[in-house]
């Protein structure tokens, strides 16, 4: 006889109490709901198994809700033993494991079905003080700050834990503690910020995908006393335990050229033409030659623009902009006459003769002349990048000379798996068009997947063979010792549901890391990329974009030409204003992204002795006129290299400042580059005097204030940085940013 029939047959109104007990028994039998407690001498955790509510109670402190329920089901098969718990929620086909060990609560959630599910939500409470967020290098986002809330909701409202965060963690700052949410599995996670009363709440969502059916949502919640670097240092230990951390020392063993990064300033050299206007000795004779009615000059002029032809006709003194226009159009015209670089050089030599310099000195930023100027200035350690592969072929003498002097040099290369949306089919090569169609990523509902910021990503495993052939071909010609692979280090990893080439986010990241390793292993190349986010950092030696991020793509004031905050564009080609124009930084970014009160060296606490990082190429040391001092002090405090954009027109103006920064940075980086950054402290009540400490107890102190301060007996001038290296024979080194 079943239970329902028994109840209907034998129970009367007098047995209501008994009926209630039986009903509760049945519910408990089916639900098995429990409020679990895991505890040790450090803290206690209370877990509601039906909805994943988590409450933490550190010893001698108040309770904190770590997860407000966003799901609701009936839990079953609950088991608890030795601070480990296991249960299931059949409604969502979830299996959950929780383990409390010392300061860590380790949660692992698996799903039997493919589903996108909100899992965690944190609400700020009365004890909440702010968030620690690894947007680029690292930020502290204070509670109840309207400017920060505007920045977060406008620029960072949602993101993922591989590309939006340089390391996969977020810290919750309380009065006496920090709870660090560390995503052990960073793939398929998204976060969403939204307003809640006067603060910001945070929701985490996970996509359980058939492309990686055994990959669980895995989160470590770490309890720390109030140390802003605690989460980063805990994550570093996790990487090391999983053999996912490769030290700079080991990278140097694998490729000895990597050592050349230590103490090196980073420079992008501009000017892609075979000749530059600096190579013309006599412009009157040069113009007269172009005006000749003989065969070669006539062919050259035939493809000139009306503006260039008018300059030739005027026969008047011309300015630098006009000179560069003539040189640029000459460069394109000569390609129409011959596709062979050596033939083009002969044509130019024979045509212009003594009116131009010797071909060994041709070029602008990438030229023997530039390399000599840098070396003569005493810049002994440099990484030099150039914009196009063809420019490297054009100026092989400069590459050879730079290598002879011990510099690292190589192209800034856009990989095959990244396409700019403005690169339409009409200007792609046949091979590029084929790859674009063959390797496009498909979403789960079979749509082509694209990413904002005008980029489309292709499947890197699908493009791999084409790209390797291209790199092989170009490396034979270039013979460089470094490659900067754009975009691939940003942590953008996607799921591809295309049946011809499916790949998971984890597989996507593995393919990118394998590419970097292939370059190192086959060519002894020093490899760098954009940002250097954690999932793609293992085989990178350097990265551009962590110290100063890319920002402002949604801010009209930064992209409109008539705005005083306009960042610039990609013209003129020989000196793009985006990289050479000095801009004014908007106050809201100055008081948030570049405010030393909110900056934290999170990334350096993990990767200082693994990946050497600098500014994003769009935002070099000299980009913003109103924060140059702060910007310089920040990167020197974190012991990261400066980054510049140079050509022969601008080098004389920039060189004095470059030399001062180089002297300070090269000295301290030589000592500290292979050491972990272990501590970050405020030395003053206003937090404007800050200190970083390294494994050998060397320290760097920054004074961000406009007044002199003191550290022990050492005077700290306004807007200065001071290095006190470990050892008996090291005197304090100082750089006064205010006097550069």
């Amino acid at each position: 006889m079943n239970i329902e029939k028994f109840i209907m047959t034998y129970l009367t109104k007098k047995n209501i109490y008994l009926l209630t007990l039986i009903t509760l028994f049945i519910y408990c039998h089916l639900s098995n709901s429990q409020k679990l407690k895991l505890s040790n001498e450090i803290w206690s955790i209370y877990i509601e198994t039906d909805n994943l509510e988590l409450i933490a109670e550190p010893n001698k402190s108040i309770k904190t809700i770590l997860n407000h329920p966003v799901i609701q089901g009936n839990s079953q098969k609950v088991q608890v033993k030795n601070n480990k718990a296991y249960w299931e929620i059949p409604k969502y086909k979830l299996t959950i494991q929780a383990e409390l060990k010392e300061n860590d609560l380790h949660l692992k959630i698996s799903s039997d079905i493919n589903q996108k599910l909100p899992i965690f939500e944190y609400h700020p409470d009365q004890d909440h003080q702010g968030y620690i967020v690894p947007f680029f290098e690292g930020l502290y986002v204070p509670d109840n700050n309207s400017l920060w809330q505007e920045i977060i909701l406008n620029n960072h409202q949602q993101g993922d834990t591989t590309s939006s965060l340089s390391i996969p963690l977020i810290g919750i700052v309380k009065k006496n503690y920090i709870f660090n949410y560390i995503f052990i599995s960073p793939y398929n996670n998204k976060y969403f910020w939204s307003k809640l009363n006067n603060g910001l709440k945070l929701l985490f969502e996970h996509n359980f995908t058939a492309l990686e059916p055994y990959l669980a949502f895995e989160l470590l919640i770490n309890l720390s006393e109030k140390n802003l670097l605690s989460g980063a240092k805990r994550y570093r230990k996790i990487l090391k335990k999983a053999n996912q951390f490769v030290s700079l020392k080991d990278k140097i063993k694998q490729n000895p050229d990597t050592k050349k990064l230590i103490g090196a300033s980073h420079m992008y050299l501009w000017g892609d033409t075979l000749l530059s206007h600096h190579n013309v000795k006599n412009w009157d004779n040069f113009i007269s030659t172009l005006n000749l009615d003989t065969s070669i000059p006539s062919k050259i002029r035939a493809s000139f623009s009306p503006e260039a032809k008018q300059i030739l006709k005027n026969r008047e003194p011309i300015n630098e902009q006009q000179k560069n226009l003539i040189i640029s159009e000459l460069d394109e015209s000569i390609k129409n006459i011959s596709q062979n670089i050596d033939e083009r050089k002969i044509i130019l030599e024979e045509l212009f003769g003594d009116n131009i310099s010797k071909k060994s000195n041709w070029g602008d930023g990438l030229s023997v002349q530039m390399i000599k100027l840098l070396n003569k200035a005493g810049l002994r350690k440099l990484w030099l990048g150039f914009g196009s592969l063809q420019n490297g072929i054009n100026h092989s003498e400069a590459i050879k000379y730079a290598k002879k002097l011990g510099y690292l040099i190589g192209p800034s290369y856009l990989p095959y798996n990244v396409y700019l949306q403005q690169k339409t089919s009409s200007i792609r090569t046949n091979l590029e068009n084929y790859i674009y169609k063959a390797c496009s990523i498909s979403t789960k509902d079979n749509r082509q997947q694209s990413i904002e910021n005008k980029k489309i990503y292709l499947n890197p495993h699908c493009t791999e063979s084409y790209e390797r052939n291209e790199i092989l071909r170009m490396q034979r010609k270039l013979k460089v010792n470094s490659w900067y692979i754009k975009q691939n280090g940003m942590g953008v990893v996607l799921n591809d549901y295309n049946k011809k080439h499916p790949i998971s986010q984890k597989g996507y990241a593995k393919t990118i890391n394998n590419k970097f390793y292939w370059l190192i292993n086959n060519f002894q190349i020093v490899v760098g990329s954009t940002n250097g986010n954690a999932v793609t950092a293992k085989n990178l030696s350097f990265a551009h974009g962590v110290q100063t991020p890319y920002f402002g793509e949604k801010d009209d004031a930064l992209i409109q030409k008539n705005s005083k905050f306009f960042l610039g564009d990609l013209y003129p080609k020989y000196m793009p204003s985006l990289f050479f124009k000095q801009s004014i930084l908007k106050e809201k970014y100055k008081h948030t992204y570049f405010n030393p009160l909110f900056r934290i060296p999170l990334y350096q606490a993990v990767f200082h002795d693994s990946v050497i990082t600098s500014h994003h190429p769009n935002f070099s040391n000299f980009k913003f006129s109103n924060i140059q001092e702060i910007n310089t002090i920040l990167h020197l405090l974190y012991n990261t290299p400066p980054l510049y954009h140079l050509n022969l027109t601008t080098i004389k103006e920039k060189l004095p400042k470059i030399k001062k920064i180089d002297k300070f940075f090269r000295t301290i980086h030589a000592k500290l580059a292979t050491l972990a950054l272990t501590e970050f402290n405020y030395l003053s009540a206003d937090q404007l005097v800050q200190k970083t400490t390294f494994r050998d107890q060397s320290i760097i102190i920054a004074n961000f204030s406009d007044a002199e301060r003191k550290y022990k007996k050492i005077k700290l001038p306004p807007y200065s940085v001071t290095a006190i290296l470990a050892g008996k024979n090291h005197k304090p080194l100082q750089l006064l940013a205010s006097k550069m």
Side-chain angles (χ1 to χ4, degrees), residues 672-721:
L672 304 179
T674 58
L675 302 179
L677 188 155
T678 56
E679 296 296 337
F680 171 70
N681 304 102
Y682 300 111
L683 301 183
S684 62
D686 61 7
Q687 299 186 349
L688 290 175
V689 182
Q690 301 177 7
K691 180 183 73 169
T692 51
T693 305
F694 299 83
R695 194 184 64 207
D696 69 345
Q697 298 308 303
S698 292
I699 61 173
I700 303 174
I701 303 171
N703 179 8
F704 291 102
S705 77
D706 57 4
E708 183 182 285
R709 303 291 181 90
K710 277 190 176 182
Y711 175 74
K712 297 182 178 178
K713 295 182 179 181
I714 300 171
K715 292 182 180 180
L716 308 175
Y719 298 111
S720 67
V721 60

Side-chain angles (χ1 to χ4, degrees), residues 530-543:
T530 312
N531 290 8
N533 283 18
V535 294
T536 48
K538 184 178 180 180
N539 296 319
L540 286 176
S541 295
F542 70 99

